[in-house]
Amino acid sequence: MNQPHPFPGFSHAIVRWGVLAALVGVIFFAVPLMAKVYELRVLNNLLLYMLLGAGLTIVVGYAGLLDLGFVAFYAIGAYSYAILASAQFDFHLPFLLVLAIGTILAAFTGLLLGYPVMRLRGDYLAIVTLGFGEIIRIIINNWNGLTNGPKGIARIDRPDLLGWQITTPRDLYLFLLVVVILVYTLVFRLERSLLGKAWRAMREDQVALRASGVDTTRLKLLAFALSASIGGAAGVFFAASQRFVSPESFVLHESILIVVIVVIGGVANLIGTVIGAFVVVIVPELLRGYQDYRMLLFGLLLVLGIILRPEGLVPQRYGIGWILKKTGWR
Amino acid sequence: MALVLQFRNVSKKFGALAAISDLNVDFKPGIITSVIGPNGAGKSTAINLAGGAYPLSGGAIFLDGRDITGLPPYKLAQSGVSRTFQNLRLFEDMTLIEHIEVCELTRTFRQVPLEVFWPPAARRMAVEREKRAMAVLDKFDLAGIGHVRARDLPYGHRKLLEIARAIAVRPRVLFLDEPAAGLNFKETRALGERLLALRSPDLIIVLIEHDMDMVMRLSDEIYVLHQGRLLAHGTPDQIKGNTDVQTAYLGSPNDHQALQAAARTRESRVRIRTGEGVTWH
C-alpha cells in the first residue's frame, strides 16, 4: 500500500484512472473507428475465441478436467439460434430470448455429459469428452429435418438487441467487447470466490477435499455446466454474427484449438487465456502471406512454445489478480 | 443417545486377506482413545472404513446411534467424521487460510452466486471468512503464517495444518492417523499438548500412533488390534501389563532369543527391530 510511487508528481488514482480511460478509449473508440472491415472481422473472431477460452478455462483450468468436446456446447448454442431465429421453421424469436435458451440448453447438456463421466480422470475423461463432441456433430450432420444436415442453416436473423440492430462488423465488435468484459469479470470473480478456491483444492487433492466435507461431484458438475453455458452463449453470438451455420464449424479441430488457447497462455489464468486467443487467432492471420506453410509454421510455433514455456506463456501467478494488485486497484 | 462412535461386527476383506474381522469397539467423547497394534494390524483400515474410503465387507458403524455405514466420504465429514491422513494430503499450492476456508463451502454454498455477482458482499464475506479461518489456525499457532503456501511449510507445520483442517469441518469424531510420524522429540511433545487441549465433551478423538510414549501419555483408553482382531482394551496401565499385547508386539520370549541367536551368527552386528522399535518399561 505504501510503496514508493512509480510516477512522482501524480497521485496513484489519477495515473490509474488515466491508464484505464486511455485503454477504454482505444478499445471502444479508436479501434472500431480506425480498423477496416477485414481487421474488425479478425477482431470479432478473436473476441469469440476469448469467450470460448474463458468457458473452457473453468473446466480445464480451474477444475482440472480435460474436456476435448467443448465445441459441442458451441454448436448447441449456434444451432439454437439458427433454428429458433431463421427461416428454417419460420421461428423468429428475439435474440436475447434465444441467448437465454441456448445458454441454458448448453448448460443442461454440460450436466448430461458431466454426470456419466464423473468417475473418469485424465486421459479417459479426454477420450470420452472427445467422443461426446463428435456425437453432437454427427447428430447435427444427420438430423436433416431439424438442422438441415451438412447443408447448414442460412439466412439467420440479424441479432436485435432491444431495438439496436447489430448489422455491421463494427456493431458486433462493440457488442462482443462488452460481452467479453462482462464474462471475464464474472469468471474472474468466480475464480476468486470460495467455489474457485474449492476447484483449486480439488485439482490438488480430491480425496482430501472430500474428507473435508465437500461434494466433489457437485463441484465437477458445476464446472461442466458453467463452462458449457459460456460455450453455448458464444455459439449464439457466432450464429448471429455469421448468419450461417453448418456442422463444418464444429469439428474436433475447433475443440483442440480452444484447448490450445487455454493451455498455451497458461492454464487457470484468464490473462493467459486472452494471450492464448491472440496467439491462436492473430498469428495465423499474420502468417497469411506464407499461404501453404501457414499452419505448418503455426504448429511449429506451438511446439516451440510448449518446449520453451511448459507452464504456458504467462505463469499462473501473473493473472488478473496480480495486475490489479500491482496497479493499486486492490 | 449419548455421543458415541460404534463399530459393530465390522470386517473388511481385501481379496483373501481379512484386514479386519468382526471388530467391536466404542469410541467415547471427552477423552483420547488410541488404537495401536503392530504393522498390518488393521489400524489404518479402521480409519479408512470410518472415513468412507472403501466399503465394509460386513458389520456396521454407528455415530450417535445413527447408521453411517456406506456414506460417501463428504457426507461422513458433514455428519461429523473428520480425519487426517498418514501421508500428508495438503493442497500444496494454496495458503493455510485457504485450506481452512474451503471446508466452509458446503455450509455456505448458497452464498456463492452472491459472492460472484455482488462485489461489496463478496468483500465482506471474504473478510469474515478469513477471520474465521484465522481463529482456527490460531488454535495451532499457525495464524501468523496464514498467507504462506502449504508447499513452503516445514514438516512440523504441515502436520499441524492437516489437523487444523480436520478441525475446521467442526467434527464430532476426529481420527488422527499417525500425527507424530516424522516429528522430532520436541515437536511430538508440543503436538501431545495440543491434542490434550483439543479434548472436549462433545468431541471423540481417536489417535492411531506408533510412538508408544505418546500413546501412553495421552490416551485415556487404548484398543489394541492384532491381525485385524481386537486383542485388548483398557487404560494405558492395563495395556502395559497385558502379556498378550507384549507377545503380539515383541513375540514370545523364546522367539526373541531365537532371533538374537540368529543375529549373532551374522558377520555384521544387526540391530534387531522388535515390533515397531517399542521399548516396554
Side-chain angles (χ1 to χ4, degrees), chain A residues 260-293:
Chain A
V260 169
I261 288 177
V262 171
V263 173
I264 194 115
V267 179
N269 179 348
L270 286 175
I271 297 291
T273 309
V274 171
I275 289 176
F278 261 94
V279 170
V280 165
V281 177
I282 306 293
V283 171
E285 290 300 327
L286 296 179
L287 293 176
R288 252 185 209 288
Y290 302 94
Q291 289 295 341
D292 296 349
Y293 302 104

PDB file of all heavy atoms in Angstrom, chain A residues 260-293:
ATOM      1  N   VAL A 260      -5.928 -25.436 -26.898  1.00  0.00           N
ATOM      2  CA  VAL A 260      -4.632 -24.772 -27.100  1.00  0.00           C
ATOM      3  C   VAL A 260      -4.680 -23.356 -26.517  1.00  0.00           C
ATOM      4  O   VAL A 260      -3.747 -22.922 -25.839  1.00  0.00           O
ATOM      5  CB  VAL A 260      -4.259 -24.741 -28.603  1.00  0.00           C
ATOM      6  CG1 VAL A 260      -3.067 -23.822 -28.839  1.00  0.00           C
ATOM      7  CG2 VAL A 260      -3.938 -26.134 -29.091  1.00  0.00           C
ATOM      8  N   ILE A 261      -5.784 -22.646 -26.758  1.00  0.00           N
ATOM      9  CA  ILE A 261      -5.924 -21.290 -26.216  1.00  0.00           C
ATOM     10  C   ILE A 261      -5.752 -21.308 -24.704  1.00  0.00           C
ATOM     11  O   ILE A 261      -5.038 -20.487 -24.133  1.00  0.00           O
ATOM     12  CB  ILE A 261      -7.320 -20.711 -26.568  1.00  0.00           C
ATOM     13  CG1 ILE A 261      -7.383 -20.385 -28.046  1.00  0.00           C
ATOM     14  CG2 ILE A 261      -7.626 -19.466 -25.736  1.00  0.00           C
ATOM     15  CD1 ILE A 261      -8.728 -19.870 -28.504  1.00  0.00           C
ATOM     16  N   VAL A 262      -6.402 -22.279 -24.064  1.00  0.00           N
ATOM     17  CA  VAL A 262      -6.375 -22.328 -22.602  1.00  0.00           C
ATOM     18  C   VAL A 262      -4.992 -22.721 -22.091  1.00  0.00           C
ATOM     19  O   VAL A 262      -4.521 -22.219 -21.077  1.00  0.00           O
ATOM     20  CB  VAL A 262      -7.445 -23.324 -22.092  1.00  0.00           C
ATOM     21  CG1 VAL A 262      -7.305 -23.559 -20.609  1.00  0.00           C
ATOM     22  CG2 VAL A 262      -8.829 -22.793 -22.411  1.00  0.00           C
ATOM     23  N   VAL A 263      -4.342 -23.622 -22.840  1.00  0.00           N
ATOM     24  CA  VAL A 263      -3.086 -24.182 -22.336  1.00  0.00           C
ATOM     25  C   VAL A 263      -1.887 -23.303 -22.670  1.00  0.00           C
ATOM     26  O   VAL A 263      -1.026 -23.078 -21.824  1.00  0.00           O
ATOM     27  CB  VAL A 263      -2.884 -25.615 -22.889  1.00  0.00           C
ATOM     28  CG1 VAL A 263      -1.522 -26.143 -22.517  1.00  0.00           C
ATOM     29  CG2 VAL A 263      -3.976 -26.521 -22.352  1.00  0.00           C
ATOM     30  N   ILE A 264      -1.838 -22.780 -23.900  1.00  0.00           N
ATOM     31  CA  ILE A 264      -0.619 -22.101 -24.342  1.00  0.00           C
ATOM     32  C   ILE A 264      -0.363 -20.812 -23.559  1.00  0.00           C
ATOM     33  O   ILE A 264       0.769 -20.462 -23.258  1.00  0.00           O
ATOM     34  CB  ILE A 264      -0.655 -21.813 -25.864  1.00  0.00           C
ATOM     35  CG1 ILE A 264       0.751 -21.433 -26.361  1.00  0.00           C
ATOM     36  CG2 ILE A 264      -1.590 -20.667 -26.217  1.00  0.00           C
ATOM     37  CD1 ILE A 264       1.305 -22.417 -27.309  1.00  0.00           C
ATOM     38  N   GLY A 265      -1.439 -20.143 -23.176  1.00  0.00           N
ATOM     39  CA  GLY A 265      -1.243 -18.890 -22.449  1.00  0.00           C
ATOM     40  C   GLY A 265      -0.927 -19.121 -20.978  1.00  0.00           C
ATOM     41  O   GLY A 265      -0.371 -18.256 -20.321  1.00  0.00           O
ATOM     42  N   GLY A 266      -1.278 -20.269 -20.475  1.00  0.00           N
ATOM     43  CA  GLY A 266      -1.087 -20.544 -19.047  1.00  0.00           C
ATOM     44  C   GLY A 266      -2.413 -20.994 -18.468  1.00  0.00           C
ATOM     45  O   GLY A 266      -3.384 -20.243 -18.464  1.00  0.00           O
ATOM     46  N   VAL A 267      -2.442 -22.236 -17.980  1.00  0.00           N
ATOM     47  CA  VAL A 267      -3.698 -22.823 -17.509  1.00  0.00           C
ATOM     48  C   VAL A 267      -4.216 -22.076 -16.281  1.00  0.00           C
ATOM     49  O   VAL A 267      -3.444 -21.576 -15.472  1.00  0.00           O
ATOM     50  CB  VAL A 267      -3.478 -24.311 -17.173  1.00  0.00           C
ATOM     51  CG1 VAL A 267      -4.750 -24.940 -16.657  1.00  0.00           C
ATOM     52  CG2 VAL A 267      -3.008 -25.048 -18.395  1.00  0.00           C
ATOM     53  N   ALA A 268      -5.529 -22.006 -16.160  1.00  0.00           N
ATOM     54  CA  ALA A 268      -6.181 -21.417 -14.977  1.00  0.00           C
ATOM     55  C   ALA A 268      -5.799 -19.965 -14.777  1.00  0.00           C
ATOM     56  O   ALA A 268      -5.706 -19.484 -13.666  1.00  0.00           O
ATOM     57  CB  ALA A 268      -5.881 -22.229 -13.722  1.00  0.00           C
ATOM     58  N   ASN A 269      -5.560 -19.262 -15.876  1.00  0.00           N
ATOM     59  CA  ASN A 269      -5.159 -17.865 -15.788  1.00  0.00           C
ATOM     60  C   ASN A 269      -5.833 -17.123 -16.933  1.00  0.00           C
ATOM     61  O   ASN A 269      -5.548 -17.375 -18.099  1.00  0.00           O
ATOM     62  CB  ASN A 269      -3.635 -17.786 -15.901  1.00  0.00           C
ATOM     63  CG  ASN A 269      -3.136 -16.364 -15.835  1.00  0.00           C
ATOM     64  OD1 ASN A 269      -3.911 -15.409 -15.930  1.00  0.00           O
ATOM     65  ND2 ASN A 269      -1.842 -16.210 -15.679  1.00  0.00           N
ATOM     66  N   LEU A 270      -6.738 -16.200 -16.611  1.00  0.00           N
ATOM     67  CA  LEU A 270      -7.521 -15.542 -17.663  1.00  0.00           C
ATOM     68  C   LEU A 270      -6.647 -14.674 -18.563  1.00  0.00           C
ATOM     69  O   LEU A 270      -6.909 -14.551 -19.755  1.00  0.00           O
ATOM     70  CB  LEU A 270      -8.640 -14.721 -17.044  1.00  0.00           C
ATOM     71  CG  LEU A 270      -9.802 -15.548 -16.492  1.00  0.00           C
ATOM     72  CD1 LEU A 270     -10.804 -14.671 -15.795  1.00  0.00           C
ATOM     73  CD2 LEU A 270     -10.472 -16.345 -17.598  1.00  0.00           C
ATOM     74  N   ILE A 271      -5.597 -14.054 -17.984  1.00  0.00           N
ATOM     75  CA  ILE A 271      -4.673 -13.290 -18.829  1.00  0.00           C
ATOM     76  C   ILE A 271      -4.033 -14.232 -19.841  1.00  0.00           C
ATOM     77  O   ILE A 271      -3.893 -13.912 -21.026  1.00  0.00           O
ATOM     78  CB  ILE A 271      -3.582 -12.618 -17.964  1.00  0.00           C
ATOM     79  CG1 ILE A 271      -4.198 -11.610 -16.993  1.00  0.00           C
ATOM     80  CG2 ILE A 271      -2.540 -11.948 -18.832  1.00  0.00           C
ATOM     81  CD1 ILE A 271      -4.768 -10.393 -17.655  1.00  0.00           C
ATOM     82  N   GLY A 272      -3.690 -15.422 -19.358  1.00  0.00           N
ATOM     83  CA  GLY A 272      -3.139 -16.435 -20.244  1.00  0.00           C
ATOM     84  C   GLY A 272      -4.126 -16.808 -21.340  1.00  0.00           C
ATOM     85  O   GLY A 272      -3.745 -17.011 -22.492  1.00  0.00           O
ATOM     86  N   THR A 273      -5.400 -16.872 -20.995  1.00  0.00           N
ATOM     87  CA  THR A 273      -6.419 -17.220 -21.982  1.00  0.00           C
ATOM     88  C   THR A 273      -6.521 -16.146 -23.057  1.00  0.00           C
ATOM     89  O   THR A 273      -6.621 -16.445 -24.249  1.00  0.00           O
ATOM     90  CB  THR A 273      -7.787 -17.391 -21.285  1.00  0.00           C
ATOM     91  OG1 THR A 273      -7.620 -18.276 -20.179  1.00  0.00           O
ATOM     92  CG2 THR A 273      -8.811 -17.959 -22.232  1.00  0.00           C
ATOM     93  N   VAL A 274      -6.468 -14.871 -22.629  1.00  0.00           N
ATOM     94  CA  VAL A 274      -6.511 -13.769 -23.600  1.00  0.00           C
ATOM     95  C   VAL A 274      -5.325 -13.884 -24.547  1.00  0.00           C
ATOM     96  O   VAL A 274      -5.469 -13.809 -25.777  1.00  0.00           O
ATOM     97  CB  VAL A 274      -6.472 -12.405 -22.867  1.00  0.00           C
ATOM     98  CG1 VAL A 274      -6.299 -11.274 -23.867  1.00  0.00           C
ATOM     99  CG2 VAL A 274      -7.729 -12.212 -22.047  1.00  0.00           C
ATOM    100  N   ILE A 275      -4.135 -14.110 -23.983  1.00  0.00           N
ATOM    101  CA  ILE A 275      -2.933 -14.197 -24.811  1.00  0.00           C
ATOM    102  C   ILE A 275      -2.996 -15.434 -25.694  1.00  0.00           C
ATOM    103  O   ILE A 275      -2.633 -15.398 -26.865  1.00  0.00           O
ATOM    104  CB  ILE A 275      -1.689 -14.177 -23.911  1.00  0.00           C
ATOM    105  CG1 ILE A 275      -1.555 -12.760 -23.343  1.00  0.00           C
ATOM    106  CG2 ILE A 275      -0.448 -14.584 -24.681  1.00  0.00           C
ATOM    107  CD1 ILE A 275      -0.450 -12.572 -22.372  1.00  0.00           C
ATOM    108  N   GLY A 276      -3.528 -16.527 -25.142  1.00  0.00           N
ATOM    109  CA  GLY A 276      -3.704 -17.737 -25.941  1.00  0.00           C
ATOM    110  C   GLY A 276      -4.601 -17.476 -27.142  1.00  0.00           C
ATOM    111  O   GLY A 276      -4.310 -17.916 -28.262  1.00  0.00           O
ATOM    112  N   ALA A 277      -5.698 -16.732 -26.923  1.00  0.00           N
ATOM    113  CA  ALA A 277      -6.610 -16.425 -28.033  1.00  0.00           C
ATOM    114  C   ALA A 277      -5.890 -15.573 -29.073  1.00  0.00           C
ATOM    115  O   ALA A 277      -6.044 -15.784 -30.284  1.00  0.00           O
ATOM    116  CB  ALA A 277      -7.851 -15.703 -27.503  1.00  0.00           C
ATOM    117  N   PHE A 278      -5.073 -14.620 -28.619  1.00  0.00           N
ATOM    118  CA  PHE A 278      -4.283 -13.819 -29.551  1.00  0.00           C
ATOM    119  C   PHE A 278      -3.398 -14.704 -30.409  1.00  0.00           C
ATOM    120  O   PHE A 278      -3.361 -14.587 -31.630  1.00  0.00           O
ATOM    121  CB  PHE A 278      -3.398 -12.820 -28.774  1.00  0.00           C
ATOM    122  CG  PHE A 278      -3.983 -11.441 -28.708  1.00  0.00           C
ATOM    123  CD1 PHE A 278      -4.753 -11.058 -27.619  1.00  0.00           C
ATOM    124  CD2 PHE A 278      -3.777 -10.533 -29.741  1.00  0.00           C
ATOM    125  CE1 PHE A 278      -5.312  -9.797 -27.555  1.00  0.00           C
ATOM    126  CE2 PHE A 278      -4.331  -9.270 -29.677  1.00  0.00           C
ATOM    127  CZ  PHE A 278      -5.105  -8.888 -28.585  1.00  0.00           C
ATOM    128  N   VAL A 279      -2.699 -15.622 -29.746  1.00  0.00           N
ATOM    129  CA  VAL A 279      -1.773 -16.492 -30.464  1.00  0.00           C
ATOM    130  C   VAL A 279      -2.530 -17.316 -31.499  1.00  0.00           C
ATOM    131  O   VAL A 279      -2.126 -17.415 -32.651  1.00  0.00           O
ATOM    132  CB  VAL A 279      -1.029 -17.417 -29.471  1.00  0.00           C
ATOM    133  CG1 VAL A 279      -0.247 -18.491 -30.206  1.00  0.00           C
ATOM    134  CG2 VAL A 279      -0.107 -16.604 -28.585  1.00  0.00           C
ATOM    135  N   VAL A 280      -3.670 -17.890 -31.080  1.00  0.00           N
ATOM    136  CA  VAL A 280      -4.367 -18.820 -31.960  1.00  0.00           C
ATOM    137  C   VAL A 280      -5.097 -18.098 -33.103  1.00  0.00           C
ATOM    138  O   VAL A 280      -5.191 -18.615 -34.206  1.00  0.00           O
ATOM    139  CB  VAL A 280      -5.350 -19.681 -31.129  1.00  0.00           C
ATOM    140  CG1 VAL A 280      -6.332 -20.395 -32.011  1.00  0.00           C
ATOM    141  CG2 VAL A 280      -4.568 -20.676 -30.298  1.00  0.00           C
ATOM    142  N   VAL A 281      -5.595 -16.881 -32.847  1.00  0.00           N
ATOM    143  CA  VAL A 281      -6.361 -16.188 -33.887  1.00  0.00           C
ATOM    144  C   VAL A 281      -5.485 -15.264 -34.710  1.00  0.00           C
ATOM    145  O   VAL A 281      -5.575 -15.225 -35.946  1.00  0.00           O
ATOM    146  CB  VAL A 281      -7.527 -15.385 -33.260  1.00  0.00           C
ATOM    147  CG1 VAL A 281      -8.283 -14.615 -34.329  1.00  0.00           C
ATOM    148  CG2 VAL A 281      -8.465 -16.333 -32.529  1.00  0.00           C
ATOM    149  N   ILE A 282      -4.632 -14.498 -34.049  1.00  0.00           N
ATOM    150  CA  ILE A 282      -3.881 -13.462 -34.761  1.00  0.00           C
ATOM    151  C   ILE A 282      -2.661 -14.019 -35.492  1.00  0.00           C
ATOM    152  O   ILE A 282      -2.395 -13.639 -36.641  1.00  0.00           O
ATOM    153  CB  ILE A 282      -3.445 -12.335 -33.789  1.00  0.00           C
ATOM    154  CG1 ILE A 282      -4.648 -11.781 -33.024  1.00  0.00           C
ATOM    155  CG2 ILE A 282      -2.739 -11.229 -34.548  1.00  0.00           C
ATOM    156  CD1 ILE A 282      -5.655 -11.037 -33.867  1.00  0.00           C
ATOM    157  N   VAL A 283      -1.946 -14.941 -34.865  1.00  0.00           N
ATOM    158  CA  VAL A 283      -0.724 -15.438 -35.501  1.00  0.00           C
ATOM    159  C   VAL A 283      -0.999 -16.053 -36.877  1.00  0.00           C
ATOM    160  O   VAL A 283      -0.332 -15.708 -37.851  1.00  0.00           O
ATOM    161  CB  VAL A 283       0.040 -16.415 -34.570  1.00  0.00           C
ATOM    162  CG1 VAL A 283       1.181 -17.092 -35.302  1.00  0.00           C
ATOM    163  CG2 VAL A 283       0.564 -15.669 -33.351  1.00  0.00           C
ATOM    164  N   PRO A 284      -2.006 -16.936 -37.006  1.00  0.00           N
ATOM    165  CA  PRO A 284      -2.279 -17.459 -38.359  1.00  0.00           C
ATOM    166  C   PRO A 284      -2.646 -16.351 -39.349  1.00  0.00           C
ATOM    167  O   PRO A 284      -2.308 -16.450 -40.532  1.00  0.00           O
ATOM    168  CB  PRO A 284      -3.465 -18.400 -38.139  1.00  0.00           C
ATOM    169  CG  PRO A 284      -3.382 -18.800 -36.721  1.00  0.00           C
ATOM    170  CD  PRO A 284      -2.843 -17.612 -36.002  1.00  0.00           C
ATOM    171  N   GLU A 285      -3.303 -15.282 -38.884  1.00  0.00           N
ATOM    172  CA  GLU A 285      -3.622 -14.173 -39.782  1.00  0.00           C
ATOM    173  C   GLU A 285      -2.339 -13.485 -40.248  1.00  0.00           C
ATOM    174  O   GLU A 285      -2.195 -13.138 -41.410  1.00  0.00           O
ATOM    175  CB  GLU A 285      -4.517 -13.146 -39.072  1.00  0.00           C
ATOM    176  CG  GLU A 285      -5.926 -13.624 -38.809  1.00  0.00           C
ATOM    177  CD  GLU A 285      -6.681 -13.979 -40.076  1.00  0.00           C
ATOM    178  OE1 GLU A 285      -6.440 -13.341 -41.122  1.00  0.00           O
ATOM    179  OE2 GLU A 285      -7.495 -14.927 -40.022  1.00  0.00           O
ATOM    180  N   LEU A 286      -1.395 -13.276 -39.309  1.00  0.00           N
ATOM    181  CA  LEU A 286      -0.131 -12.635 -39.660  1.00  0.00           C
ATOM    182  C   LEU A 286       0.661 -13.497 -40.628  1.00  0.00           C
ATOM    183  O   LEU A 286       1.445 -12.993 -41.426  1.00  0.00           O
ATOM    184  CB  LEU A 286       0.705 -12.374 -38.404  1.00  0.00           C
ATOM    185  CG  LEU A 286       0.112 -11.396 -37.397  1.00  0.00           C
ATOM    186  CD1 LEU A 286       1.030 -11.246 -36.198  1.00  0.00           C
ATOM    187  CD2 LEU A 286      -0.129 -10.037 -38.053  1.00  0.00           C
ATOM    188  N   LEU A 287       0.442 -14.815 -40.533  1.00  0.00           N
ATOM    189  CA  LEU A 287       1.211 -15.730 -41.385  1.00  0.00           C
ATOM    190  C   LEU A 287       0.531 -15.947 -42.734  1.00  0.00           C
ATOM    191  O   LEU A 287       0.973 -16.771 -43.522  1.00  0.00           O
ATOM    192  CB  LEU A 287       1.386 -17.080 -40.676  1.00  0.00           C
ATOM    193  CG  LEU A 287       2.265 -17.076 -39.418  1.00  0.00           C
ATOM    194  CD1 LEU A 287       2.268 -18.445 -38.777  1.00  0.00           C
ATOM    195  CD2 LEU A 287       3.687 -16.656 -39.763  1.00  0.00           C
ATOM    196  N   ARG A 288      -0.546 -15.209 -43.008  1.00  0.00           N
ATOM    197  CA  ARG A 288      -1.294 -15.418 -44.238  1.00  0.00           C
ATOM    198  C   ARG A 288      -0.428 -15.311 -45.488  1.00  0.00           C
ATOM    199  O   ARG A 288      -0.655 -15.995 -46.475  1.00  0.00           O
ATOM    200  CB  ARG A 288      -2.451 -14.424 -44.344  1.00  0.00           C
ATOM    201  CG  ARG A 288      -3.751 -15.126 -44.126  1.00  0.00           C
ATOM    202  CD  ARG A 288      -4.941 -14.249 -44.321  1.00  0.00           C
ATOM    203  NE  ARG A 288      -6.022 -14.736 -43.469  1.00  0.00           N
ATOM    204  CZ  ARG A 288      -6.687 -15.860 -43.717  1.00  0.00           C
ATOM    205  NH1 ARG A 288      -6.408 -16.588 -44.765  1.00  0.00           N
ATOM    206  NH2 ARG A 288      -7.621 -16.257 -42.894  1.00  0.00           N
ATOM    207  N   GLY A 289       0.582 -14.450 -45.443  1.00  0.00           N
ATOM    208  CA  GLY A 289       1.476 -14.271 -46.581  1.00  0.00           C
ATOM    209  C   GLY A 289       2.191 -15.548 -46.967  1.00  0.00           C
ATOM    210  O   GLY A 289       2.632 -15.697 -48.113  1.00  0.00           O
ATOM    211  N   TYR A 290       2.300 -16.483 -46.044  1.00  0.00           N
ATOM    212  CA  TYR A 290       3.068 -17.702 -46.353  1.00  0.00           C
ATOM    213  C   TYR A 290       2.178 -18.822 -46.873  1.00  0.00           C
ATOM    214  O   TYR A 290       2.605 -19.951 -47.023  1.00  0.00           O
ATOM    215  CB  TYR A 290       3.841 -18.149 -45.115  1.00  0.00           C
ATOM    216  CG  TYR A 290       4.777 -17.096 -44.615  1.00  0.00           C
ATOM    217  CD1 TYR A 290       4.400 -16.204 -43.622  1.00  0.00           C
ATOM    218  CD2 TYR A 290       6.049 -16.957 -45.191  1.00  0.00           C
ATOM    219  CE1 TYR A 290       5.255 -15.204 -43.196  1.00  0.00           C
ATOM    220  CE2 TYR A 290       6.906 -15.958 -44.771  1.00  0.00           C
ATOM    221  CZ  TYR A 290       6.500 -15.083 -43.762  1.00  0.00           C
ATOM    222  OH  TYR A 290       7.341 -14.089 -43.333  1.00  0.00           O
ATOM    223  N   GLN A 291       0.908 -18.476 -47.111  1.00  0.00           N
ATOM    224  CA  GLN A 291      -0.035 -19.408 -47.728  1.00  0.00           C
ATOM    225  C   GLN A 291       0.061 -20.841 -47.215  1.00  0.00           C
ATOM    226  O   GLN A 291      -0.327 -21.111 -46.097  1.00  0.00           O
ATOM    227  CB  GLN A 291       0.133 -19.372 -49.252  1.00  0.00           C
ATOM    228  CG  GLN A 291      -0.382 -18.092 -49.874  1.00  0.00           C
ATOM    229  CD  GLN A 291      -1.881 -17.940 -49.722  1.00  0.00           C
ATOM    230  OE1 GLN A 291      -2.590 -18.904 -49.470  1.00  0.00           O
ATOM    231  NE2 GLN A 291      -2.363 -16.709 -49.833  1.00  0.00           N
ATOM    232  N   ASP A 292       0.644 -21.729 -48.038  1.00  0.00           N
ATOM    233  CA  ASP A 292       0.596 -23.157 -47.735  1.00  0.00           C
ATOM    234  C   ASP A 292       1.313 -23.511 -46.444  1.00  0.00           C
ATOM    235  O   ASP A 292       0.995 -24.510 -45.803  1.00  0.00           O
ATOM    236  CB  ASP A 292       1.232 -23.952 -48.881  1.00  0.00           C
ATOM    237  CG  ASP A 292       0.446 -23.779 -50.157  1.00  0.00           C
ATOM    238  OD1 ASP A 292      -0.668 -23.234 -50.063  1.00  0.00           O
ATOM    239  OD2 ASP A 292       0.938 -24.174 -51.217  1.00  0.00           O
ATOM    240  N   TYR A 293       2.315 -22.740 -46.085  1.00  0.00           N
ATOM    241  CA  TYR A 293       3.132 -23.112 -44.926  1.00  0.00           C
ATOM    242  C   TYR A 293       2.561 -22.568 -43.622  1.00  0.00           C
ATOM    243  O   TYR A 293       3.104 -22.767 -42.562  1.00  0.00           O
ATOM    244  CB  TYR A 293       4.559 -22.610 -45.104  1.00  0.00           C
ATOM    245  CG  TYR A 293       5.196 -23.150 -46.343  1.00  0.00           C
ATOM    246  CD1 TYR A 293       5.348 -22.356 -47.468  1.00  0.00           C
ATOM    247  CD2 TYR A 293       5.618 -24.488 -46.395  1.00  0.00           C
ATOM    248  CE1 TYR A 293       5.907 -22.855 -48.617  1.00  0.00           C
ATOM    249  CE2 TYR A 293       6.177 -24.993 -47.544  1.00  0.00           C
ATOM    250  CZ  TYR A 293       6.324 -24.177 -48.654  1.00  0.00           C
ATOM    251  OH  TYR A 293       6.862 -24.691 -49.791  1.00  0.00           O
TER     252      TYR A 293
END
